[in-house]
Amino acid sequence: MAFAETLQGGGVERALLRMSGGWLARGHRVTLVLGACEGPLAAELPPGIEVIELGSPHYPILMRLPGVVRRLDPDVLFCPGNYYTAAAAIIRMQLGRRTPPIIAKVSNALVRPEMWRFVAWGYRRWLRWHPAFLDHIVAMTPAMAREAIDEMQMPPDRVSVIANPPAERIADATPLALPKGRYIVGVGRLEPQKRWDRLIAALPRLADPDIHLLLLGEGSARAGLEAQVARLGLGDRVTMPGHASDPLPALKHATVAALTSDFEGVPGVIREALSQGTPVVATEASVAVRELIDSPMLGTVVAREDGEGLVAALDHWLEPGRTRPAPREDHGDPVGDYLALFSRLARQRIA
């Protein structure tokens, strides 16, 4: 059993659906509890998954989840990201020893230097409580695992490293209208965390005045980003068509992919871009970014607030004739690794 608020199109929820489809394909029953079954990802729900909709995306999912877990008594409970661990804590408090094993994935950075000092202090204290209500943590890279051990004080034997399943082409996805000529692509929610304003601000400073920017995603920051585009006179160079069910074609044909976030976990878009042979320019939004961009032949990592460095890195990869990286293949069996972990924890519960 897993849970989420909505299917509005975040990377956490998209990865959850990919994993759920894999678990179903291997003969396991999967129940997904949603605050509301709404959003563009609803069309990507794997056939055969059992969906329980609570009727509202926010408050009720926290308060009604314990009752659903008590009634269904699943073998394991999967928490798909940091954002949802408060719900896991409430389940543990209400169900106590009747709580099934809770496995949570680290989906965002646990060290947050952009936070105000008092908020950061509270966040660190909150992380230290996690071993009390989580049975196991899954990190997507070794560096993220070390961060979980350090920041959460989670015992190392309760931390595993399992990557997300790789993205695949979606045969019936709506075709994207790609910019003519060379372009930069950004893929991710239009939310303050992603700081697409940095990328838009860099566009008029690039050496090539004809480079376009394609931003794929939707979110609450759209109005502000559109106002910034208008203020800078970039209306003919920036396209924001909204959520894309299959961003791989846009990533494949882009000259460079960019990610300018304040904080991330293990950004799936970096792996997806590199799988298409597209170089990536990214801010150092988590310890995992340099694990993914582990060679200067793959892309460039810049400091979050280094506007000059961002422009220079983009200019480097936009230089005509620049060699692109070879497409990187994903290895391993994330779906099987998760199932093995779930089975082990379920057996321990029975014992």
Side-chain angles (χ1 to χ4, degrees), residues 54-348:
L54 298 181
S56 178
H58 301 297
Y59 176 78
I61 195 170
L62 291 176
M63 305 313 297
R64 294 174 62 187
L65 260 175
V68 176
V69 175
R70 182 184 293 110
R71 175 168 57 86
L72 296 181
D73 191 26
D75 293 322
V76 294
L77 185 61
F78 180 62
C79 177
N82 312 34
Y83 178 75
Y84 293 112
T85 56
I90 291 174
I91 292 169
R92 180 72 69 181
M93 285 190 293
Q94 293 199 20
L95 270 61
R97 297 184 65 181
R98 296 185 59 188
T99 308
I102 303 178
I103 301 95
K105 186 180 75 173
V106 177
S107 60
N108 261 323
L110 302 179
V111 176
R112 300 279 299 279
E114 84 288 351
M115 284 182 171
W116 294 345
R117 180 177 300 178
F118 180 75
V119 175
W121 178 87
Y123 182 63
R124 287 194 297 272
R125 296 302 180 275
W126 161 241
L127 291 177
R128 298 294 172 91
W129 291 339
H130 281 56
F133 60 85
L134 296 179
D135 294 278
H136 206 87
I137 283 287
V138 173
M140 290 178 277
T141 71
M144 291 298 290
R146 291 191 295 271
E147 190 169 89
I149 293 169
D150 292 341
E151 298 301 319
M152 292 181 172
Q153 298 293 287
M154 186 69 73
D157 62 349
R158 290 167 59 188
V159 179
S160 297
V161 178
I162 306 176
N164 277 338
E168 298 178 353
R169 291 297 312 273
I170 300 176
D172 58 351
T174 303
L176 283 169
L178 302 180
K180 295 180 180 179
R182 302 191 308 147
Y183 65 92
I184 303 166
V185 65
V187 180
R189 294 171 298 121
L190 305 185
E191 297 293 343
Q193 165 194 349
K194 300 295 185 178
R195 291 301 305 270
W196 295 122
D197 59 299
R198 290 175 174 147
L199 188 53
I200 293 171
L203 194 62
R205 301 169 59 193
L206 298 177
D208 187 342
D210 296 322
I211 293 293
H212 282 68
L213 171 60
L214 176 64
L215 281 182
L216 300 178
E218 195 53 81
S220 64
R222 171 175 284 277
L225 296 175
E226 290 177 338
Q228 182 187 16
V229 168
R231 187 170 63 252
L232 296 175
L234 298 173
D236 60 342
R237 294 179 61 189
V238 179
T239 305
M240 294 189 290
H243 173 80
S245 57
D246 183 5
L248 292 182
L251 288 165
K252 179 177 181 179
H253 294 287
T255 308
V256 61
L259 186 71
T260 50
S261 303
D262 269 339
F263 61 94
E264 290 281 351
V266 179
V269 67
I270 295 181
R271 295 177 63 204
E272 292 167 7
L274 294 177
S275 77
Q276 302 302 305
T278 300
V280 181
V281 172
T283 51
E284 198 156 15
S286 83
V287 293
V289 171
R290 290 191 183 274
E291 285 185 301
L292 299 175
I293 307 175
D294 58 1
S295 165
M297 303 300 292
L298 301 178
T300 307
V301 181
V302 300
R304 288 178 304 152
E305 301 296 342
D306 186 1
E308 296 290 338
L310 176 61
V311 171
L314 291 170
D315 276 337
H316 171 81
W317 290 105
L318 291 168
E319 184 178 328
R322 179 69 62 186
T323 301
R324 293 168 66 89
R328 173 182 277 183
E329 295 183 7
D330 285 301
H331 301 285
D333 180 17
V335 169
D337 291 342
Y338 265 107
L339 290 176
L341 174 63
F342 293 164
S343 295
R344 175 165 64 84
L345 293 176
R347 288 194 302 269
Q348 289 176 358

